[in-house]
Amino acid sequence: MATGIQMTREALCDGLDHMALQHLTLMDQLIRTKMILEEHMRSGFFLLGKTRYVLGCNAISTLQLPSEEREVDPLVSVVSTPVRIERYDGEVIYQEMNTEFADPVVSLPVEVEEDSLSDMYTQEDDPVEGLRQRISNLQGEPPEDREEDDREQYSADQNKKKVINRDPIRWFSVLPPQTLKQAQTDFKTAIQISAKCATLLGQLKAVCNEYKRLAKIKSKIDNIEKES
């Protein structure tokens, strides 16, 4: 019994040592990551200031932002992965945070007027079909050919697509300067680094909880040894 308690105590001490070492490693990674985040944020704001100096103070301001009534689709989403398990002589459970950037350029089909579609497909049921045929004949165009041309026009309209650029950089300039593009790149990188910081904080919290759990078990074993 005493041998089993002694082995369990040694295993707990090893686990506590691993948790403490892992805690220091994560703290170092978190500090370095935050320093990189601060560097990219500083560079982004510096480039924004440089762009305002070139284009004018009113060119880059809150006046170009969409109003509250306008709906804006986000191009960046933060996704949390399923729970991952890593073993450090014990199970540490945490979630990893990732960022996904959507393509700002989308293609939408051109809308066809409903009136033209209804006229096209209900022509056979029209009570004045004979009148329309006589008018077509007077114009020198057979009704069958006209209906076929309408259908071809409809199929051509269906193949047409409207390209929309949802890039937020277009809010400030149709032809954004290079400094504004570099600032956008820095801020995108800052978003990714922020997600990495969130992942490190989750790992750090999991390691601290595991350390407290092992320390509590070790304290109980020490009390049992004292009573015996």
Side-chain angles (χ1 to χ4, degrees), residues 106-111 158-164 166:
V106 295
S107 299
L108 299 178
V110 178
E111 296 181 357
Q158 288 295 101
N159 294 329
K160 293 180 181 179
K161 291 184 178 181
K162 183 179 180 181
V163 179
I164 298 177
R166 302 177 298 166

Side-chain angles (χ1 to χ4, degrees), residues 59-112:
I60 308 297
S61 65
T62 56
L63 298 177
Q64 282 74 34
L65 297 179
S67 60
E68 296 180 358
E69 293 79 10
R70 179 182 173 184
E71 295 183 359
V72 179
D73 296 330
L75 299 180
V76 184
S77 57
V78 181
V79 181
S80 60
T81 59
V83 176
R84 299 178 59 181
I85 299 177
E86 292 188 3
R87 295 183 179 275
Y88 307 103
D89 288 347
E91 295 183 353
V92 178
I93 302 175
Y94 68 95
Q95 283 185 319
E96 185 177 359
M97 310 298 291
N98 295 320
T99 55
E100 295 181 355
F101 290 88
D103 189 2
V105 180
V106 295
S107 299
L108 299 178
V110 178
E111 296 181 357
V112 182

